[in-house]
Amino acid sequence: MVEGVKGIIFLGPPGAGKGTQAKKMANFLNYSFISTGDILREEVLKQTELGNLAKSYMEKGKLVPDEIMLRIIEKNLQDSKTGFILDGFPRTLPQAKGLDDILKKNNLVIEKVFYLNSSEKEIVKRLSSRRVCPECKKVYNLITDPPEKDEECDLCNVKLIKRADDEEDVIKTRLEVYKKDTEPLLKYYREKIIEIEGDASPEDVFEKIKSFLKEDDYYKKKN
Ligand code: AMP
């Protein structure tokens, strides 16, 4: 039997630390890192047709339509040879069901779903103090992980920016959208879900996540 390429999904509200943890995990396991938010932001920057369309949803904190997201994910999954980590996808039930079809077609399987939980108070605090380098895209937090110089990237020496959707009114919409459209996925994935308390430090959260991989073959091979 040919074993399918394995993947891990990171679920959770905006600001729970999914991107940070998913990136760490992808480096650690040498898996492809697929962040739909990052892919869309690249398209917005390049002002492609997709980018211009996505921008109108993103700046309001709304979700980009499912058919578009499924096309993006199918294209990106085809490049994952060793394994893949999904950050920010799926976000709706139709996306999760569409993903199942794509996985079947491409002999891929979802092994685990990490659900990073976080309190609303912590989320708002984190998102409103998040800053990003416009050049290298490194993410900082002015309270917990500030740059060395005032709001300047340590690596590129350019001024950090605040994502347009990290403004307080948009954060509110994103949280509402999360509750309505994404939270139902916790039930959909109930057999694969591992809940992690996301309010701890990024290092502690990562150690906790790794502890759930210890029994897995790919983890053993690496360590
Ligand atoms: P993120 O960086 O994951 O917080 O995503 C930023 C924004 O990109 C979201 O608020 C949505 O507007 C859009 N987006 C990212 N991923 C998806 C998705 N799976 N479905 C729909 N919209 C998405």
Side-chain angles (χ1 to χ4, degrees), residues 13-15 18-19 35-41 54-66 68-70 73 87-92 95 127 130 163 165-166 170 174 177 182:
K18 295 186 300 295
S35 156
T36 44
D38 284 356
I39 293 170
L40 292 173
R41 277 184 289 278
K55 189 174 179 215
S56 59
Y57 294 94
M58 293 167 83
E59 61 192 9
K60 294 190 201 92
K62 299 265 170 74
L63 294 183
V64 174
D66 293 333
I68 297 177
M69 297 314 300
L70 281 163
I73 220 70
D87 164 31
F89 185 94
R91 258 175 155 103
T92 65
Q95 287 183 14
L127 292 181
R130 174 161 71 181
R163 272 171 52 173
D165 59 351
D166 280 344
V170 187
R174 289 166 69 199
V177 168
T182 311

mmCIF file of all heavy atoms in Angstrom, residues 13-15 18-19 35-41 54-66 68-70 73 87-92 95 127 130 163 165-166 170 174 177 182, ligand 1:
data_model
loop_
_atom_site.group_PDB
_atom_site.id
_atom_site.type_symbol
_atom_site.label_atom_id
_atom_site.label_comp_id
_atom_site.label_asym_id
_atom_site.label_seq_id
_atom_site.Cartn_x
_atom_site.Cartn_y
_atom_site.Cartn_z
ATOM 1 N N PRO A 13 -8.957 30.757 16.654
ATOM 2 C CA PRO A 13 -9.345 32.135 16.334
ATOM 3 C C PRO A 13 -8.155 32.954 15.845
ATOM 4 O O PRO A 13 -7.002 32.575 16.089
ATOM 5 C CB PRO A 13 -9.855 32.674 17.682
ATOM 6 C CG PRO A 13 -9.248 31.789 18.703
ATOM 7 C CD PRO A 13 -9.049 30.456 18.073
ATOM 8 N N PRO A 14 -8.421 34.076 15.156
ATOM 9 C CA PRO A 14 -7.317 34.939 14.737
ATOM 10 C C PRO A 14 -6.543 35.373 15.984
ATOM 11 O O PRO A 14 -7.146 35.634 17.031
ATOM 12 C CB PRO A 14 -8.020 36.139 14.073
ATOM 13 C CG PRO A 14 -9.447 36.073 14.491
ATOM 14 C CD PRO A 14 -9.735 34.638 14.802
ATOM 15 N N GLY A 15 -5.227 35.395 15.893
ATOM 16 C CA GLY A 15 -4.429 35.871 17.025
ATOM 17 C C GLY A 15 -4.101 34.798 18.048
ATOM 18 O O GLY A 15 -3.444 35.068 19.050
ATOM 19 N N LYS A 18 -1.594 30.657 15.528
ATOM 20 C CA LYS A 18 -1.538 29.583 14.527
ATOM 21 C C LYS A 18 -0.355 29.744 13.577
ATOM 22 O O LYS A 18 0.384 28.808 13.333
ATOM 23 C CB LYS A 18 -2.802 29.572 13.654
ATOM 24 C CG LYS A 18 -4.078 29.247 14.357
ATOM 25 C CD LYS A 18 -5.212 29.132 13.352
ATOM 26 C CE LYS A 18 -5.481 30.385 12.533
ATOM 27 N NZ LYS A 18 -5.946 31.551 13.259
ATOM 28 N N GLY A 19 -0.195 30.962 13.049
ATOM 29 C CA GLY A 19 0.867 31.205 12.057
ATOM 30 C C GLY A 19 2.237 30.905 12.642
ATOM 31 O O GLY A 19 3.052 30.207 12.032
ATOM 32 N N SER A 35 0.088 28.842 4.119
ATOM 33 C CA SER A 35 -0.742 29.796 4.836
ATOM 34 C C SER A 35 -1.571 30.542 3.808
ATOM 35 O O SER A 35 -1.037 31.291 2.983
ATOM 36 C CB SER A 35 0.150 30.786 5.611
ATOM 37 O OG SER A 35 -0.553 31.985 5.836
ATOM 38 N N THR A 36 -2.892 30.344 3.850
ATOM 39 C CA THR A 36 -3.731 31.005 2.840
ATOM 40 C C THR A 36 -3.702 32.529 3.025
ATOM 41 O O THR A 36 -3.754 33.270 2.048
ATOM 42 C CB THR A 36 -5.172 30.472 2.888
ATOM 43 O OG1 THR A 36 -5.587 30.373 4.244
ATOM 44 C CG2 THR A 36 -5.267 29.127 2.215
ATOM 45 N N GLY A 37 -3.582 32.993 4.278
ATOM 46 C CA GLY A 37 -3.481 34.434 4.518
ATOM 47 C C GLY A 37 -2.237 35.012 3.840
ATOM 48 O O GLY A 37 -2.297 36.031 3.157
ATOM 49 N N ASP A 38 -1.088 34.323 3.999
ATOM 50 C CA ASP A 38 0.169 34.790 3.378
ATOM 51 C C ASP A 38 0.051 34.778 1.851
ATOM 52 O O ASP A 38 0.497 35.708 1.176
ATOM 53 C CB ASP A 38 1.352 33.880 3.772
ATOM 54 C CG ASP A 38 1.835 34.140 5.194
ATOM 55 O OD1 ASP A 38 1.307 35.067 5.841
ATOM 56 O OD2 ASP A 38 2.736 33.406 5.660
ATOM 57 N N ILE A 39 -0.554 33.712 1.319
ATOM 58 C CA ILE A 39 -0.697 33.598 -0.145
ATOM 59 C C ILE A 39 -1.542 34.766 -0.663
ATOM 60 O O ILE A 39 -1.176 35.437 -1.637
ATOM 61 C CB ILE A 39 -1.352 32.242 -0.525
ATOM 62 C CG1 ILE A 39 -0.393 31.087 -0.172
ATOM 63 C CG2 ILE A 39 -1.728 32.211 -2.005
ATOM 64 C CD1 ILE A 39 -1.013 29.695 -0.269
ATOM 65 N N LEU A 40 -2.646 35.049 0.038
ATOM 66 C CA LEU A 40 -3.521 36.144 -0.413
ATOM 67 C C LEU A 40 -2.828 37.498 -0.287
ATOM 68 O O LEU A 40 -2.935 38.337 -1.182
ATOM 69 C CB LEU A 40 -4.829 36.137 0.398
ATOM 70 C CG LEU A 40 -5.761 34.952 0.162
ATOM 71 C CD1 LEU A 40 -6.927 34.976 1.156
ATOM 72 C CD2 LEU A 40 -6.317 34.964 -1.263
ATOM 73 N N ARG A 41 -2.080 37.699 0.820
ATOM 74 C CA ARG A 41 -1.391 38.993 0.998
ATOM 75 C C ARG A 41 -0.362 39.221 -0.110
ATOM 76 O O ARG A 41 -0.178 40.336 -0.574
ATOM 77 C CB ARG A 41 -0.743 39.075 2.396
ATOM 78 C CG ARG A 41 -1.733 39.516 3.474
ATOM 79 C CD ARG A 41 -1.070 39.698 4.827
ATOM 80 N NE ARG A 41 -0.690 38.442 5.434
ATOM 81 C CZ ARG A 41 -1.522 37.644 6.110
ATOM 82 N NH1 ARG A 41 -2.769 37.999 6.295
ATOM 83 N NH2 ARG A 41 -1.112 36.508 6.613
ATOM 84 N N ALA A 54 -9.437 39.659 -3.536
ATOM 85 C CA ALA A 54 -9.274 39.230 -2.136
ATOM 86 C C ALA A 54 -9.215 40.442 -1.211
ATOM 87 O O ALA A 54 -9.769 40.420 -0.103
ATOM 88 C CB ALA A 54 -8.009 38.383 -1.994
ATOM 89 N N LYS A 55 -8.570 41.504 -1.671
ATOM 90 C CA LYS A 55 -8.371 42.693 -0.829
ATOM 91 C C LYS A 55 -9.704 43.243 -0.309
ATOM 92 O O LYS A 55 -9.822 43.629 0.848
ATOM 93 C CB LYS A 55 -7.644 43.770 -1.654
ATOM 94 C CG LYS A 55 -7.205 44.947 -0.845
ATOM 95 C CD LYS A 55 -6.368 45.896 -1.667
ATOM 96 C CE LYS A 55 -5.978 47.067 -0.786
ATOM 97 N NZ LYS A 55 -5.921 48.305 -1.493
ATOM 98 N N SER A 56 -10.722 43.222 -1.182
ATOM 99 C CA SER A 56 -12.002 43.817 -0.794
ATOM 100 C C SER A 56 -12.633 43.038 0.377
ATOM 101 O O SER A 56 -13.357 43.601 1.181
ATOM 102 C CB SER A 56 -12.948 43.870 -1.991
ATOM 103 O OG SER A 56 -13.165 42.561 -2.483
ATOM 104 N N TYR A 57 -12.350 41.764 0.466
ATOM 105 C CA TYR A 57 -12.861 40.970 1.594
ATOM 106 C C TYR A 57 -11.945 41.131 2.807
ATOM 107 O O TYR A 57 -12.405 41.317 3.929
ATOM 108 C CB TYR A 57 -12.915 39.482 1.226
ATOM 109 C CG TYR A 57 -13.920 39.155 0.144
ATOM 110 C CD1 TYR A 57 -13.532 39.102 -1.191
ATOM 111 C CD2 TYR A 57 -15.250 38.901 0.468
ATOM 112 C CE1 TYR A 57 -14.461 38.808 -2.189
ATOM 113 C CE2 TYR A 57 -16.179 38.602 -0.513
ATOM 114 C CZ TYR A 57 -15.777 38.556 -1.846
ATOM 115 O OH TYR A 57 -16.688 38.265 -2.820
ATOM 116 N N MET A 58 -10.644 41.022 2.556
ATOM 117 C CA MET A 58 -9.684 41.002 3.669
ATOM 118 C C MET A 58 -9.721 42.285 4.485
ATOM 119 O O MET A 58 -9.652 42.254 5.711
ATOM 120 C CB MET A 58 -8.267 40.752 3.143
ATOM 121 C CG MET A 58 -8.108 39.361 2.550
ATOM 122 S SD MET A 58 -6.597 39.194 1.616
ATOM 123 C CE MET A 58 -5.425 38.854 2.925
ATOM 124 N N GLU A 59 -9.816 43.429 3.804
ATOM 125 C CA GLU A 59 -9.742 44.676 4.573
ATOM 126 C C GLU A 59 -10.980 44.878 5.452
ATOM 127 O O GLU A 59 -10.950 45.647 6.392
ATOM 128 C CB GLU A 59 -9.454 45.876 3.661
ATOM 129 C CG GLU A 59 -10.476 46.146 2.613
ATOM 130 C CD GLU A 59 -9.996 47.147 1.563
ATOM 131 O OE1 GLU A 59 -8.801 47.500 1.552
ATOM 132 O OE2 GLU A 59 -10.840 47.568 0.752
ATOM 133 N N LYS A 60 -12.038 44.139 5.146
ATOM 134 C CA LYS A 60 -13.246 44.233 5.992
ATOM 135 C C LYS A 60 -13.274 43.128 7.045
ATOM 136 O O LYS A 60 -14.206 43.053 7.845
ATOM 137 C CB LYS A 60 -14.496 44.112 5.117
ATOM 138 C CG LYS A 60 -14.682 45.261 4.147
ATOM 139 C CD LYS A 60 -16.082 45.155 3.517
ATOM 140 C CE LYS A 60 -16.162 45.910 2.209
ATOM 141 N NZ LYS A 60 -15.869 45.086 1.032
ATOM 142 N N GLY A 61 -12.316 42.205 6.980
ATOM 143 C CA GLY A 61 -12.302 41.087 7.943
ATOM 144 C C GLY A 61 -13.225 39.962 7.523
ATOM 145 O O GLY A 61 -13.541 39.069 8.309
ATOM 146 N N LYS A 62 -13.690 40.013 6.254
ATOM 147 C CA LYS A 62 -14.601 38.973 5.747
ATOM 148 C C LYS A 62 -13.816 37.849 5.073
ATOM 149 O O LYS A 62 -12.644 38.031 4.724
ATOM 150 C CB LYS A 62 -15.553 39.599 4.700
ATOM 151 C CG LYS A 62 -16.423 40.716 5.265
ATOM 152 C CD LYS A 62 -17.761 40.149 5.693
ATOM 153 C CE LYS A 62 -18.606 41.112 6.487
ATOM 154 N NZ LYS A 62 -19.204 42.170 5.727
ATOM 155 N N LEU A 63 -14.480 36.718 4.836
ATOM 156 C CA LEU A 63 -13.798 35.590 4.195
ATOM 157 C C LEU A 63 -13.871 35.683 2.674
ATOM 158 O O LEU A 63 -14.905 36.047 2.109
ATOM 159 C CB LEU A 63 -14.420 34.264 4.643
ATOM 160 C CG LEU A 63 -14.247 33.903 6.112
ATOM 161 C CD1 LEU A 63 -14.862 32.531 6.390
ATOM 162 C CD2 LEU A 63 -12.776 33.921 6.534
ATOM 163 N N VAL A 64 -12.779 35.315 2.018
ATOM 164 C CA VAL A 64 -12.726 35.223 0.568
ATOM 165 C C VAL A 64 -13.575 33.993 0.176
ATOM 166 O O VAL A 64 -13.550 32.981 0.890
ATOM 167 C CB VAL A 64 -11.240 35.084 0.120
ATOM 168 C CG1 VAL A 64 -11.128 34.846 -1.374
ATOM 169 C CG2 VAL A 64 -10.441 36.320 0.557
ATOM 170 N N PRO A 65 -14.346 34.067 -0.937
ATOM 171 C CA PRO A 65 -15.256 32.952 -1.265
ATOM 172 C C PRO A 65 -14.578 31.578 -1.344
ATOM 173 O O PRO A 65 -13.425 31.456 -1.774
ATOM 174 C CB PRO A 65 -15.824 33.368 -2.632
ATOM 175 C CG PRO A 65 -15.730 34.860 -2.640
ATOM 176 C CD PRO A 65 -14.493 35.195 -1.863
ATOM 177 N N ASP A 66 -15.348 30.569 -0.933
ATOM 178 C CA ASP A 66 -14.833 29.200 -0.832
ATOM 179 C C ASP A 66 -14.227 28.660 -2.131
ATOM 180 O O ASP A 66 -13.177 28.016 -2.106
ATOM 181 C CB ASP A 66 -15.959 28.255 -0.381
ATOM 182 C CG ASP A 66 -16.401 28.530 1.045
ATOM 183 O OD1 ASP A 66 -15.574 29.034 1.832
ATOM 184 O OD2 ASP A 66 -17.564 28.245 1.383
ATOM 185 N N ILE A 68 -12.770 30.088 -4.547
ATOM 186 C CA ILE A 68 -11.444 30.675 -4.809
ATOM 187 C C ILE A 68 -10.414 30.018 -3.892
ATOM 188 O O ILE A 68 -9.333 29.608 -4.309
ATOM 189 C CB ILE A 68 -11.468 32.207 -4.566
ATOM 190 C CG1 ILE A 68 -12.421 32.867 -5.552
ATOM 191 C CG2 ILE A 68 -10.070 32.804 -4.654
ATOM 192 C CD1 ILE A 68 -12.570 34.367 -5.364
ATOM 193 N N MET A 69 -10.787 29.869 -2.605
ATOM 194 C CA MET A 69 -9.851 29.303 -1.639
ATOM 195 C C MET A 69 -9.515 27.856 -1.974
ATOM 196 O O MET A 69 -8.376 27.417 -1.838
ATOM 197 C CB MET A 69 -10.430 29.398 -0.216
ATOM 198 C CG MET A 69 -10.661 30.794 0.285
ATOM 199 S SD MET A 69 -9.292 31.928 -0.015
ATOM 200 C CE MET A 69 -7.956 31.149 0.857
ATOM 201 N N LEU A 70 -10.516 27.103 -2.440
ATOM 202 C CA LEU A 70 -10.273 25.690 -2.771
ATOM 203 C C LEU A 70 -9.335 25.564 -3.968
ATOM 204 O O LEU A 70 -8.485 24.676 -4.009
ATOM 205 C CB LEU A 70 -11.609 24.974 -3.027
ATOM 206 C CG LEU A 70 -12.331 24.605 -1.725
ATOM 207 C CD1 LEU A 70 -13.799 24.295 -1.966
ATOM 208 C CD2 LEU A 70 -11.647 23.422 -1.042
ATOM 209 N N ILE A 73 -5.814 26.209 -2.670
ATOM 210 C CA ILE A 73 -5.269 25.135 -1.840
ATOM 211 C C ILE A 73 -4.909 23.921 -2.700
ATOM 212 O O ILE A 73 -3.878 23.293 -2.506
ATOM 213 C CB ILE A 73 -6.244 24.794 -0.677
ATOM 214 C CG1 ILE A 73 -5.466 24.539 0.601
ATOM 215 C CG2 ILE A 73 -7.099 23.600 -0.922
ATOM 216 C CD1 ILE A 73 -4.839 25.689 1.216
ATOM 217 N N ASP A 87 -2.191 26.483 7.547
ATOM 218 C CA ASP A 87 -2.442 27.567 8.495
ATOM 219 C C ASP A 87 -3.525 28.477 7.911
ATOM 220 O O ASP A 87 -3.320 29.087 6.862
ATOM 221 C CB ASP A 87 -1.125 28.346 8.714
ATOM 222 C CG ASP A 87 -1.357 29.697 9.356
ATOM 223 O OD1 ASP A 87 -2.321 29.832 10.131
ATOM 224 O OD2 ASP A 87 -0.556 30.630 9.067
ATOM 225 N N GLY A 88 -4.666 28.534 8.578
ATOM 226 C CA GLY A 88 -5.742 29.425 8.111
ATOM 227 C C GLY A 88 -6.660 28.787 7.088
ATOM 228 O O GLY A 88 -7.496 29.468 6.493
ATOM 229 N N PHE A 89 -6.530 27.517 6.871
ATOM 230 C CA PHE A 89 -7.402 26.781 5.957
ATOM 231 C C PHE A 89 -7.607 25.378 6.514
ATOM 232 O O PHE A 89 -6.629 24.767 6.928
ATOM 233 C CB PHE A 89 -6.791 26.697 4.553
ATOM 234 C CG PHE A 89 -7.724 26.042 3.567
ATOM 235 C CD1 PHE A 89 -8.567 26.804 2.783
ATOM 236 C CD2 PHE A 89 -7.779 24.655 3.463
ATOM 237 C CE1 PHE A 89 -9.453 26.200 1.904
ATOM 238 C CE2 PHE A 89 -8.671 24.051 2.591
ATOM 239 C CZ PHE A 89 -9.497 24.816 1.807
ATOM 240 N N PRO A 90 -8.795 24.813 6.520
ATOM 241 C CA PRO A 90 -10.058 25.410 6.087
ATOM 242 C C PRO A 90 -10.640 26.358 7.140
ATOM 243 O O PRO A 90 -10.286 26.290 8.307
ATOM 244 C CB PRO A 90 -10.953 24.184 5.906
ATOM 245 C CG PRO A 90 -10.421 23.172 6.869
ATOM 246 C CD PRO A 90 -8.950 23.416 6.957
ATOM 247 N N ARG A 91 -11.551 27.208 6.696
ATOM 248 C CA ARG A 91 -12.177 28.175 7.592
ATOM 249 C C ARG A 91 -13.702 28.074 7.569
ATOM 250 O O ARG A 91 -14.368 28.798 8.309
ATOM 251 C CB ARG A 91 -11.783 29.587 7.166
ATOM 252 C CG ARG A 91 -10.698 30.222 8.024
ATOM 253 C CD ARG A 91 -10.372 31.545 7.381
ATOM 254 N NE ARG A 91 -9.835 32.532 8.271
ATOM 255 C CZ ARG A 91 -8.545 32.847 8.321
ATOM 256 N NH1 ARG A 91 -7.675 32.199 7.602
ATOM 257 N NH2 ARG A 91 -8.133 33.833 9.100
ATOM 258 N N THR A 92 -14.231 27.224 6.681
ATOM 259 C CA THR A 92 -15.687 27.029 6.611
ATOM 260 C C THR A 92 -15.946 25.537 6.372
ATOM 261 O O THR A 92 -15.034 24.818 5.922
ATOM 262 C CB THR A 92 -16.316 27.793 5.425
ATOM 263 O OG1 THR A 92 -15.817 27.220 4.208
ATOM 264 C CG2 THR A 92 -15.997 29.278 5.446
ATOM 265 N N GLN A 95 -15.307 24.498 2.802
ATOM 266 C CA GLN A 95 -13.861 24.366 2.549
ATOM 267 C C GLN A 95 -13.352 23.027 3.078
ATOM 268 O O GLN A 95 -12.553 22.349 2.437
ATOM 269 C CB GLN A 95 -13.081 25.508 3.210
ATOM 270 C CG GLN A 95 -13.249 26.851 2.518
ATOM 271 C CD GLN A 95 -12.413 27.956 3.151
ATOM 272 O OE1 GLN A 95 -11.505 27.721 3.947
ATOM 273 N NE2 GLN A 95 -12.720 29.191 2.794
ATOM 274 N N LEU A 127 -3.477 41.000 18.673
ATOM 275 C CA LEU A 127 -3.626 41.479 17.295
ATOM 276 C C LEU A 127 -3.367 42.975 17.201
ATOM 277 O O LEU A 127 -2.776 43.443 16.229
ATOM 278 C CB LEU A 127 -5.016 41.149 16.753
ATOM 279 C CG LEU A 127 -5.304 39.670 16.519
ATOM 280 C CD1 LEU A 127 -6.703 39.479 15.969
ATOM 281 C CD2 LEU A 127 -4.293 39.039 15.572
ATOM 282 N N ARG A 130 0.375 43.535 17.156
ATOM 283 C CA ARG A 130 1.161 42.799 16.154
ATOM 284 C C ARG A 130 1.678 43.771 15.091
ATOM 285 O O ARG A 130 0.980 44.667 14.641
ATOM 286 C CB ARG A 130 0.267 41.742 15.490
ATOM 287 C CG ARG A 130 0.954 41.023 14.348
ATOM 288 C CD ARG A 130 0.291 39.737 14.003
ATOM 289 N NE ARG A 130 -1.000 39.887 13.354
ATOM 290 C CZ ARG A 130 -1.761 38.847 12.989
ATOM 291 N NH1 ARG A 130 -1.367 37.614 13.229
ATOM 292 N NH2 ARG A 130 -2.919 39.035 12.395
ATOM 293 N N ARG A 163 -0.939 45.354 10.105
ATOM 294 C CA ARG A 163 -1.851 44.851 9.081
ATOM 295 C C ARG A 163 -3.157 45.626 9.150
ATOM 296 O O ARG A 163 -3.664 45.893 10.239
ATOM 297 C CB ARG A 163 -2.136 43.357 9.332
ATOM 298 C CG ARG A 163 -1.147 42.439 8.687
ATOM 299 C CD ARG A 163 -1.318 41.010 9.106
ATOM 300 N NE ARG A 163 -2.678 40.474 8.972
ATOM 301 C CZ ARG A 163 -2.982 39.194 9.175
ATOM 302 N NH1 ARG A 163 -2.046 38.325 9.523
ATOM 303 N NH2 ARG A 163 -4.226 38.767 9.049
ATOM 304 N N ASP A 165 -6.035 44.694 8.672
ATOM 305 C CA ASP A 165 -7.108 43.969 9.362
ATOM 306 C C ASP A 165 -6.811 43.748 10.841
ATOM 307 O O ASP A 165 -7.539 43.028 11.522
ATOM 308 C CB ASP A 165 -7.467 42.650 8.642
ATOM 309 C CG ASP A 165 -6.293 41.688 8.519
ATOM 310 O OD1 ASP A 165 -5.154 42.085 8.832
ATOM 311 O OD2 ASP A 165 -6.522 40.531 8.127
ATOM 312 N N ASP A 166 -5.730 44.350 11.355
ATOM 313 C CA ASP A 166 -5.470 44.302 12.795
ATOM 314 C C ASP A 166 -5.979 45.566 13.496
ATOM 315 O O ASP A 166 -5.672 45.806 14.662
ATOM 316 C CB ASP A 166 -3.976 44.101 13.077
ATOM 317 C CG ASP A 166 -3.567 42.635 12.915
ATOM 318 O OD1 ASP A 166 -4.457 41.768 12.887
ATOM 319 O OD2 ASP A 166 -2.348 42.367 12.817
ATOM 320 N N VAL A 170 -11.971 45.967 12.673
ATOM 321 C CA VAL A 170 -11.883 44.786 11.792
ATOM 322 C C VAL A 170 -11.654 43.515 12.631
ATOM 323 O O VAL A 170 -12.184 42.451 12.319
ATOM 324 C CB VAL A 170 -10.765 44.955 10.722
ATOM 325 C CG1 VAL A 170 -10.811 43.813 9.719
ATOM 326 C CG2 VAL A 170 -10.895 46.286 10.011
ATOM 327 N N ARG A 174 -13.614 39.984 12.405
ATOM 328 C CA ARG A 174 -12.924 38.699 12.208
ATOM 329 C C ARG A 174 -13.322 37.691 13.281
ATOM 330 O O ARG A 174 -13.467 36.508 13.010
ATOM 331 C CB ARG A 174 -11.400 38.927 12.202
ATOM 332 C CG ARG A 174 -10.936 39.639 10.934
ATOM 333 C CD ARG A 174 -9.537 40.155 11.073
ATOM 334 N NE ARG A 174 -8.538 39.104 11.130
ATOM 335 C CZ ARG A 174 -7.317 39.274 11.607
ATOM 336 N NH1 ARG A 174 -6.932 40.451 12.073
ATOM 337 N NH2 ARG A 174 -6.467 38.282 11.609
ATOM 338 N N VAL A 177 -16.833 36.433 12.467
ATOM 339 C CA VAL A 177 -16.772 35.497 11.341
ATOM 340 C C VAL A 177 -16.219 34.152 11.827
ATOM 341 O O VAL A 177 -16.711 33.093 11.457
ATOM 342 C CB VAL A 177 -15.888 36.085 10.204
ATOM 343 C CG1 VAL A 177 -15.557 35.035 9.168
ATOM 344 C CG2 VAL A 177 -16.576 37.278 9.549
ATOM 345 N N THR A 182 -16.130 29.365 11.287
ATOM 346 C CA THR A 182 -14.989 28.455 11.500
ATOM 347 C C THR A 182 -15.177 27.546 12.706
ATOM 348 O O THR A 182 -14.771 26.386 12.674
ATOM 349 C CB THR A 182 -13.669 29.264 11.616
ATOM 350 O OG1 THR A 182 -13.605 30.189 10.534
ATOM 351 C CG2 THR A 182 -12.452 28.358 11.567
HETATM 352 P P1 AMP B 1 -5.020 35.205 8.189
HETATM 353 O O1 AMP B 1 -3.652 35.717 7.853
HETATM 354 O O2 AMP B 1 -5.087 33.704 8.198
HETATM 355 O O3 AMP B 1 -5.592 35.837 9.430
HETATM 356 O O4 AMP B 1 -5.967 35.655 6.974
HETATM 357 C C1 AMP B 1 -6.177 37.012 6.670
HETATM 358 C C2 AMP B 1 -7.438 37.174 5.821
HETATM 359 O O5 AMP B 1 -7.294 36.457 4.581
HETATM 360 C C3 AMP B 1 -8.712 36.616 6.433
HETATM 361 O O6 AMP B 1 -9.312 37.524 7.349
HETATM 362 C C4 AMP B 1 -9.568 36.391 5.185
HETATM 363 O O7 AMP B 1 -10.074 37.612 4.677
HETATM 364 C C5 AMP B 1 -8.540 35.873 4.186
HETATM 365 N N1 AMP B 1 -8.402 34.404 4.279
HETATM 366 C C6 AMP B 1 -7.312 33.690 4.673
HETATM 367 N N2 AMP B 1 -7.562 32.375 4.649
HETATM 368 C C7 AMP B 1 -8.837 32.225 4.224
HETATM 369 C C8 AMP B 1 -9.701 31.124 4.010
HETATM 370 N N3 AMP B 1 -9.307 29.868 4.230
HETATM 371 N N4 AMP B 1 -10.960 31.384 3.576
HETATM 372 C C9 AMP B 1 -11.384 32.615 3.330
HETATM 373 N N5 AMP B 1 -10.655 33.711 3.534
HETATM 374 C C10 AMP B 1 -9.383 33.540 3.981
#
